[in-house]
């Protein structure tokens, strides 16, 4: 079988077909390349915004999901009105439940600044009002009235007492009565010397006066309360005059907002009723900036404050917000606390908004994985979207053992569209595990990882790369430089007729090619700069591959690339690293003995094989049974394993190599070691496509090149993978000069013929195969095993082989 021609191993973009000299000749591309379906889903989500549809945009990393989503949302948001501001203010009826005020954009900051100016003015005007001559005069008059009334009452009792020879005595302990003669208080001995009638008269007088004195003393608190009421009324009168004037200066700016006017009325009433408290608090705050309120403070001053939760002043259009740290507090906000004298205090000014507050009225973009990794964030996001309001009790409700006395701010209505960005796996996980997900995120935008490669798409791709280069402020790219980048996009897509849409890696390539051109002081970036950037990245990440090749070269890892061996074949495998996919050969061996039809996967037995690899080995048993076990049991026991493999093995791409090795071990047919094999098989013997074929081919080519190419080396790949070939220039050149061969096969028989150098064989009418063919040798060996099993069965009574299974 002839190998593939060099022209089928890579597809190059012709710079002449792009129609420009450098990227400076191209205009910026406004359209999105290849994501029509996803863009349509985004636009439909925007159209369904009134019905509260939310979107999950899924695709591979670097496919432009964030940029495309944000650009589409920004275009729509620019045509929408600016979202309203939201404020929290003191609730004079229930201080634990601050009130939410909704005001047009920019007027929230205006209200806050006006209230702070009010506080500054009141800090000076209220004390001045209470220190004025008019206030002092009227306050002194009230004090004089209280003193005069009290003194007059005492003087009346004192005159009556003097007429009855009783004195009114004032002591530090209070007021009392005593018997007196000639202005002198009588001692008890002197009182006893008085006639009995006189003593009786004085005792009666004392009792009468004591009742009057008690009545007078009892009336004093009432007199003082009346006095305090009069003082309060006086304070209210003067406070009203000072406060009303300043509040009236604020009101006209918010006449069209009844909730704000109602709050100003409540503030005015509170200031009038608590003017002295305001003055005392203002005096305590002396030394701080005018109008500043200490965090966590309470009192008349702080009750005048406005907590501007969301400020859209100076913005145009509806908000479009991307939150890169979607913790629960960052999403729904938090109520902060301050420590004071060993206690945690809070008030409405410490209520802080989250991303949902800031994006309210517009769009919020979140990364699904980051939301799911944050405790409580996903549940709180769903709750907000489901109830369409924002509450601040999420943490205490979810963790009741952490509950403390705190605020319960008034909920804020929520009207926004949320776009979650993630992978297809994350979308399926949520759809399967969370019944709320499909109810809330009704639409999905599917970002594909490739577009069909045509002349038109290559031209659009060149315009896209030129636009990115200008945005990144890179040097202009020559046509052959962008053509090389387009070739690399096909390599990333693993299909010669596709172009990858994972723009992250291509943007990095443009930057690194620019750096190479700048280092040589070039005016533009050419093909050599792009290829140099690709090779530089491969070299930086190639240490592991180099060490592996050195181990093969030094004989530490046993890989034969010459001669023939029975039951041994070189299978092509890959290791995927963050920056590169590395391919290299792995030695697969098989051994066969008399048994009960078992095909043992050594990797699975030691728990190094994944489920897909085990499935591939099971298929081998099905193929053997279907091809050779129709007329007799397969009396064999086979083992298949990866030699010198010390890590996990997954995937079925080695099943073709394993099957060829197994057939070789059964029929004792030597296999060429200069050919490496990749491909999966089905139970009918058809060879199926596998992934990373370019890296696999290049990995074996490098091992052979280290040993010295003789022209006999090559690889066997599935015919379905020919369309995926985008090989490096050194591998293509080796094929062109006949030093390396790439064979494409469609069946196991074709691969076996290449490895054995003999025909695979076609079945005769009786279902047997010619003896001089590979299948004939296998058939003969199985027949011999079956006969031997029958002999042993007759001797020992053991059951002969059964249908093949994986142990």
């Amino acid at each position: 079988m002839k190998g593939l021609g060099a022209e089928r191993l890579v597809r190059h973009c012709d710079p002449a077909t792009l129609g420009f000299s450098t990227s400076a000749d191209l205009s910026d591309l406004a359209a999105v390349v290849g994501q029509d379906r996803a863009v349509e889903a985004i636009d439909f989500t925007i159209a369904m915004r009134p019905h509260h549809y939310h979107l999950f945009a899924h695709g591979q990393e670097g496919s432009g999901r964030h940029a495309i989503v944000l650009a589409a949302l920004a275009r729509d948001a620019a045509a929408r009105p600016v979202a309203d501001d939201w404020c929290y203010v003191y609730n004079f009826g229930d201080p634990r439940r601050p009130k939410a005020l909704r005001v047009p954009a920019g007027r929230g900051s205006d209200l806050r600044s006006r209230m702070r100016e009010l506080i500054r003015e009141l800090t000076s005007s209220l004390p001045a009002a209470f220190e004025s001559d008019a206030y002092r005069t009227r306050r002194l008059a009230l004090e004089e009235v209280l003193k005069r009334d009290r003194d007059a009452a005492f003087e009346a009792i004192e005159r009556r007492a003097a007429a009855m020879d009783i004195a009114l005595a004032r002591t530090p302990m209070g007021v009392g009565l005593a018997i007196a003669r000639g202005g002198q208080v009588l001692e008890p001995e002197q009182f006893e010397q008085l006639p009995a009638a006189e003593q009786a008269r004085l005792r009666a007088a004392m009792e009468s006066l004591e009742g009057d004195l008690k009545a007078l003393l009892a009336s004093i608190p009432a007199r003082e309360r009346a006095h305090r009421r009069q003082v309060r009324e006086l304070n209210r009168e003067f406070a009203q005059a000072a406060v009303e004037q300043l509040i009236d200066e604020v009101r006209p700016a918010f006449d069209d907002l009844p909730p704000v006017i109602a709050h100003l009325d409540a503030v005015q009433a509170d200031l009038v009723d608590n003017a002295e408290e305001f003055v005392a608090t203002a005096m305590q705050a002396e030394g701080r900036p005018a109008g500043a309120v200490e965090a966590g403070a309470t009192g008349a001053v702080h009750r005048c404050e406005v907590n501007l939760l969301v400020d859209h002043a100076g913005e145009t259009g509806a908000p479009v917000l991307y939150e890169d740290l979607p913790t629960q507090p960052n999403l729904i906000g938090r109520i902060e606390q301050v420590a004071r004298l060993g206690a945690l205090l809070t008030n409405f000014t410490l209520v802080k908004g989250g991303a949902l507050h800031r994006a309210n009225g517009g769009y919020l973009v979140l990364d699904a994985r980051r939301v799911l990794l944050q405790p409580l964030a996903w549940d709180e996001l769903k709750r907000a979207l489901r109830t369409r309001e924002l509450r601040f009790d999420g943490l205490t409700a979810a963790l009741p053992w952490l509950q403390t006395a705190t605020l319960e701010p008034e909920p804020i209505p929520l009207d926004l569209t949320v776009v979650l960005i993630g992978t297809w796996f994350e979308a399926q996980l949520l759809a399967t595990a969370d019944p709320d997900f499909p109810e809330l995120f009704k639409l999905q935008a599917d970002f594909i990882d490739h577009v069909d490669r045509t002349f038109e798409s290559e031209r659009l791709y060149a315009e896209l790369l030129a636009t990115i280069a200008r945005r990144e402020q890179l040097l202009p790219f020559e046509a052959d430089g962008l053509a090389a980048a387009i070739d690399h996009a096909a390599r990333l897509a693993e299909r010669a007729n596709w172009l990858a849409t994972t723009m992250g890696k291509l943007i990095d390539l443009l930057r690194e090619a620019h750096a190479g051109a700048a280092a040589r002081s070039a005016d533009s970036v050419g093909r050599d700069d792009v290829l140099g950037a690709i090779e530089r990245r491969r070299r930086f990440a190639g240490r592991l591959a180099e060490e592996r090749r050195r181990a093969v070269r030094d004989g530490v890892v046993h890989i034969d690339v010459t001669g023939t061996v029975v039951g041994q074949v070189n299978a092509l495998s890959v290791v995927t690293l963050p920056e590169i996919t590395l391919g290299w050969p792995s030695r697969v061996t098989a051994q066969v003995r008399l048994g009960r039809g078992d095909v043992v996967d050594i990797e699975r037995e030691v728990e190094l094989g994944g489920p897909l690899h085990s499935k591939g080995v099971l298929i081998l048993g099905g193929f053997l049974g279907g091809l050779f076990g129709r007329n007799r049991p397969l009396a064999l026991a086979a083992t298949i394993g990866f030699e010198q493999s010390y890590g996990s093995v997954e995937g079925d791409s080695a099943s073709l190599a394993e099957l060829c090795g197994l057939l070789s071990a059964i029929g004792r047919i030597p296999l060429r070691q200069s050919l490496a094999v990749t491909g999966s098989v089905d139970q009918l013997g058809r060879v199926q496509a596998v992934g990373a074929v370019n890296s696999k081919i290049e990995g074996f080519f490098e091992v052979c090149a280290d040993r010295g190419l003789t022209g006999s080396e090559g690889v066997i790949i599935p015919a379905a993978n020919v369309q995926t070939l985008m090989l490096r220039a050194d591998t293509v050149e080796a094929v062109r000069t006949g030093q390396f061969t790439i064979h494409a096969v469609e069946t196991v028989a074709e691969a076996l013929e290449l490895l054995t150098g003999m025909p695979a064989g076609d079945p005769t009418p009786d279902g047997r195969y010619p003896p001089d063919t590979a299948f004939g040798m296998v058939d003969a060996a199985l027949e011999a095993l079956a006969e031997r099993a029958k002999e042993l069965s007759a001797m020992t009574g053991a059951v002969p082989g059964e249908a093949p299974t994986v142990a």
Side-chain angles (χ1 to χ4, degrees), residues 29-45 55 57-58 63-65 68-69 72 75 444-452 454 456-457 460 464 501:
L29 181 66
V32 176
V33 177
Q35 303 292 356
D36 297 343
R37 191 194 310 270
V39 172
E40 183 180 351
I42 297 170
D43 292 340
F44 187 71
T45 302
L55 176 71
H58 56 77
S63 59
R65 298 164 301 171
I68 293 173
V69 166
R75 285 193 299 270
Q444 295 191 16
D446 186 2
F447 283 80
I448 60 175
D449 58 0
H450 66 273
V451 296
D452 290 337
T454 64
E456 179 60 27
S457 64
L460 288 174
L464 175 61
T501 57

Side-chain angles (χ1 to χ4, degrees), residues 395-396 399-405:
L395 186 60
T396 55
L399 306 174
W401 57 88
L402 296 180
Q403 286 189 5
T404 58

